[in-house]
Amino acid sequence: MLKALVIDAGKCTACKQCEMACSLENEGEFNVAKSRIRVFDFHTEARFVPYTCTQCAEAWCQQACPVNAITTDGMGVKVVHDNLCVGCKVCTIACPFGTVNYNASTGKVIKCDLCGGEPACSDACPTGAITYQDVEQGGFDKMKVWATQSANATTTEGPNTPKAGQASGTGH
Amino acid sequence: MKYVILGAGPAGVTAAETLRNVDPTATITMIGGEPEPPYSRMALPYLIYGKVGEDGTYLRQDPKHYDDQRIRYIQGRAGGIDSRAKKLSLSTGEVLDYDKLLIATGANPIMPPIPGSNLEGVETCWTLEDARQILKYADKDSPVVLVGAGFIGSIILEALYLRGCKITVVELAPRMVARMMDETAGGMLGRWCESKGVKVLTNTRVDSLAKGEEGQPRLQVGFSNGESAPADLVVLAVGVRSNTGFLVGSGVKTNTGIVVDNYLQTTAPDIYAAGDCCEGIDISTGKPDMLAIQPVAVEHGRIAALNMAGHKHHHRGSLNMNVLDTMGLISSSFGLWQGAQVGETAKLVDEDNFKYMKLEFEGDKLVGAQCVGMTDHVGMLRGLIQTGFSLGEWKDKLLVSPERLREAYLAVAHAHPTTGPMAPHINTPRVGNHAGASGH
């Protein structure tokens, strides 16, 4: 059974525990600027949206990499190999979601890789806004379900913010 | 089916792998023009400053990769193509029959007509062999003259800087990266370089290259402003042009690059082209143009291969985009960064802190962007431009506060999931992922 991050933005209080946990887990320091998950703050509307890589099947980042430093693992997760990444940043402009970022202190790019299967962000989330769940559908199917159910949506809810029981993110 | 792929850069390799995926029994031959395994020219600067070794530039790391994929990888250069007999002759004398041929011969550096450019220590920076030559001459504290401050020149600039060279960069245009960014951004880059001890000469031409005096650096470089400078190494980076010379008489029509249709087929039957050697569609203008960047080469390679294999795939066009790290100052540009003919512009300029963001709108759509000193979630710019989302009220918000781009992206992109960057059809198809992908 594949698993994915399921994000329910309605439950997010912008406490940023996910960002802290991600940064600590992956960078060894509490520095939200280096978190691979970010909470976007619609400050005029008091609304918060956790946002990270959906491990999309298209993997623009992977296709754009000139040295094959991003590969897809058995769980469909797009993983950056630090030993191969030259830091050219082409993936950061190629990813149309903007979820690959450059880490100037290492000279490499960083992106969510689900912490190898135990995502620190979901462990740290106190409100259940980020959960790590089994998924049954492939990424694009999930997207279609989401799209159908929110066709008239005028909110900022996206594939990362499905209703309970729907899976978003990785897992194909 | 016999597929022959002429060229082993990102376009050629991607095409070969895609063909193998969709046609398991085909015979696939890929011809590289250089002795090394297929590698990325983009990675050469990182080789020059020692971040990776030569094997770190390879497109695929596993030495058995091409054998495992049953892709026959041979070395040779194109002699000529007989498109009626469907034969490709190589410089080695070998003649290959093909059912479908892909030309992915890339581009070559333009050699400026400067007297003395054949002297020892005058190099381009385009091949692994070039990089080896540069490594011979680019020592710590070596005086180096870099000719050309375009995108490629500026990437080489960083590599030379990190090697500790003393750099003078000479650019004919009034600013650095003139074909990637505007005056404000180019000016910022220039000031940044000067602050790092790089001498930047814009509006200047190199007029002569001569041997240096006895006991002096190897070369003496004369500039159009009357000055001259000693150099251990001169790197020429004034631009590239499509490598198409061998096509004369082949029936494959060329303009500045090979002319292709929306299926990346050339004017000759059963011959396709991909990457820097051809003029694919620029999605921003709808017109053919040579977009010599890695992501476009890969996109072309995949689409051309699918069409060669009979899986019709219409190419909507590629987005021009670049990202550049100039000694720690990171800049990027996307799409119509020069602005639409009739459009509006949002700007954020902080000269003191080397930060700049400029968004170009046409109607309520984002059509182009430039950033200096801003890297977080920068790919969202591509997402918005390539999908052509209507920004609605967010355009007015962005005109006032371009820094709210990320909010705008989430608000707008996620309201259109079926046509958004989530939908596979805006990009190249992935083999085996056709189910559910609209627009193929």
Side-chain angles (χ1 to χ4, degrees):
Chain A
M1 183 68 80
L2 299 178
K3 297 183 86 175
L5 286 178
V6 176
I7 293 174
D8 183 347
K11 292 181 179 169
C12 179
T13 61
C15 71
K16 312 225 171 188
Q17 292 292 317
C18 55
E19 295 186 358
M20 298 289 260
C22 177
S23 159
L24 181 65
E25 172 73 24
N26 293 294
E27 304 299 328
E29 57 178 309
F30 289 113
N31 181 354
V32 294
K34 290 182 184 170
S35 174
R36 294 140 197 232
I37 188 165
R38 295 289 181 86
V39 178
F40 287 104
D41 178 356
F42 287 73
H43 47 84
T44 52
E45 303 162 42
R47 212 151 42 79
F48 313 106
V49 183
Y51 186 73
T52 191
C53 174
T54 62
Q55 317 296 342
C56 69
E58 287 63 46
W60 284 265
C61 60
Q62 185 176 339
Q63 295 183 38
C65 179
V67 292
N68 211 24
I70 304 177
T71 57
T72 305
D73 76 6
M75 301 290 278
V77 180
K78 309 304 178 288
V79 180
V80 178
H81 301 279
D82 276 355
N83 60 324
L84 296 174
C85 176
V86 294
C88 76
K89 308 167 197 72
V90 170
C91 56
T92 72
I93 60 168
C95 169
F97 307 96
T99 51
V100 189
N101 283 306
Y102 180 63
N103 181 356
S105 43
T106 58
K108 315 267 179 187
V109 297
I110 51 177
K111 69 177 287 300
C112 172
D113 58 6
L114 297 175
C115 297
E118 290 175 29
C121 56
S122 64
D123 282 350
C125 180
T127 63
I130 307 167
T131 50
Y132 189 53
Q133 298 180 10
D134 293 337
V135 293
E136 285 167 15
Q137 298 159 309
F140 191 67
D141 293 328
K142 290 181 290 186
M143 213 64 77
K144 277 200 297 189
V145 170
W146 178 84
T148 316
Q149 296 190 353
S150 56
N152 301 315
T154 52
T155 70
T156 61
E157 280 190 331
N160 266 346
T161 59
K163 309 289 182 286
Q166 281 179 41
S168 156
T170 181
H172 40 79
Chain B
M1 196 58 120
K2 268 186 277 189
Y3 297 109
V4 173
I5 296 165
L6 189 55
V13 167
T14 303
E17 292 169 348
T18 306
L19 285 168
R20 176 50 73 221
N21 236 321
V22 295
D23 193 345
T25 60
T27 305
I28 302 171
T29 305
M30 179 171 72
I31 303 147
E34 295 171 52
E36 298 85 4
Y39 67 92
S40 168
R41 305 205 189 287
M42 266 189 60
L44 295 178
Y46 306 97
L47 170 66
I48 289 171
Y49 77 80
K51 193 170 187 176
V52 294
E54 285 199 7
D55 57 356
T57 68
Y58 295 170
L59 292 171
R60 305 291 179 257
Q61 281 72 37
D62 183 353
K64 299 200 306 299
H65 175 75
Y66 302 99
D67 286 345
D68 288 349
Q69 294 266 309
R70 287 173 289 121
I71 295 164
R72 181 180 169 232
Y73 175 51
I74 59 172
Q75 196 192 334
R77 290 193 169 265
I81 295 171
D82 183 342
S83 57
R84 287 197 183 166
K86 296 172 107 174
K87 285 180 191 299
L88 166 71
S89 51
L90 299 181
S91 53
T92 55
E94 188 172 357
V95 178
L96 297 166
D97 293 313
Y98 65 81
D99 293 315
K100 306 272 180 187
L101 172 67
L102 179 69
I103 303 170
T105 46
N108 286 327
I110 295 170
M111 296 300 288
I114 305 169
S117 53
N118 57 342
L119 287 171
E120 189 187 338
V122 182
E123 306 291 339
T124 55
C125 183
W126 194 244
T127 64
L128 269 173
E129 183 53 30
D130 288 345
R132 292 178 199 126
Q133 294 299 318
I134 287 171
L135 286 174
K136 282 206 298 202
Y137 304 117
D139 292 327
K140 185 163 166 40
D141 296 326
S142 296
V144 175
V145 173
L146 176 63
V147 186
F151 174 69
I152 296 173
S154 295
I155 285 191
I156 299 166
L157 171 71
E158 171 167 271
L160 294 169
Y161 172 80
L162 291 170
R163 278 190 75 78
C165 301
K166 291 195 156 59
I167 307 163
T168 302
V169 58
V170 189
E171 171 57 52
L172 198 54
R175 64 176 186 274
M176 293 180 68
V177 288
R179 293 182 60 228
M180 172 182 157
M181 305 195 89
D182 68 8
E183 291 81 356
T184 306
M188 268 185 199
L189 258 62
R191 274 198 302 120
W192 178 267
C193 289
E194 297 275 6
S195 77
K196 299 279 177 184
V198 173
K199 189 169 183 189
V200 182
L201 301 174
T202 50
N203 289 311
T204 307
R205 197 175 58 230
V206 170
D207 279 341
S208 67
L209 296 163
K211 274 193 174 161
E213 300 284 324
E214 189 76 25
Q216 294 295 305
R218 182 173 295 109
L219 297 156
Q220 189 70 24
V221 187
F223 306 125
S224 56
N225 62 7
E227 292 175 25
S228 74
D232 284 332
L233 168 70
V234 172
V235 179
L236 303 174
V238 301
V240 298
R241 76 163 59 93
S242 296
N243 179 15
T244 59
F246 62 94
L247 290 169
V248 174
S250 67
V252 175
K253 190 179 167 194
T254 60
N255 198 350
T256 57
I258 297 167
V259 175
V260 288
D261 64 14
N262 283 313
Y263 300 88
L264 293 169
Q265 185 161 3
T266 71
T267 52
D270 299 314
I271 302 180
Y272 294 74
D276 294 7
C277 67
C278 77
E279 299 177 342
I281 298 293
D282 179 339
I283 201 168
S284 296
T285 60
K287 296 199 172 78
D289 198 2
M290 179 224 193
L291 302 179
I293 59 173
Q294 164 100 11
V296 171
V298 172
E299 202 164 290
H300 280 180
R302 179 165 285 117
I303 293 173
L306 287 173
N307 285 313
M308 289 165 76
H311 299 272
K312 276 274 185 191
H313 185 88
H314 182 272
H315 181 41
R316 275 182 61 205
S318 303
L319 184 68
N320 195 19
M321 55 187 177
N322 278 297
V323 60
L324 183 63
D325 192 337
T326 314
M327 300 173 284
L329 184 65
I330 299 168
S331 53
S332 55
S333 74
F334 299 82
L336 297 177
W337 58 267
Q338 311 93 322
Q341 280 190 330
V342 181
E344 289 168 278
T345 300
K347 247 197 235 189
L348 198 71
V349 192
D350 182 351
E351 292 275 1
D352 292 342
N353 294 302
F354 295 95
K355 284 197 189 306
Y356 182 46
M357 184 186 217
K358 192 177 183 191
L359 305 177
E360 301 288 353
F361 303 95
E362 187 170 19
D364 71 346
K365 292 174 179 168
L366 187 70
V367 294
Q370 302 173 65
C371 296
V372 179
M374 298 181 180
T375 59
D376 271 5
H377 302 95
V378 75
M380 286 179 175
L381 290 166
R382 182 201 186 173
L384 287 177
I385 295 168
Q386 190 148 356
T387 50
F389 285 138
S390 287
L391 289 162
E393 59 172 11
W394 276 99
K395 187 196 79 172
D396 299 318
K397 293 179 189 173
L398 288 173
L399 281 172
V400 180
S401 315
E403 70 281 4
R404 294 184 73 187
L405 174 81
R406 295 167 194 90
E407 274 178 80
Y409 176 89
L410 285 189
V412 172
H414 281 180
H416 300 82
T418 51
T419 55
M422 318 302 182
H425 70 266
I426 66 152
N427 194 38
T428 59
R430 303 273 292 179
V431 172
N433 190 43
H434 287 266
S438 55
H440 283 190

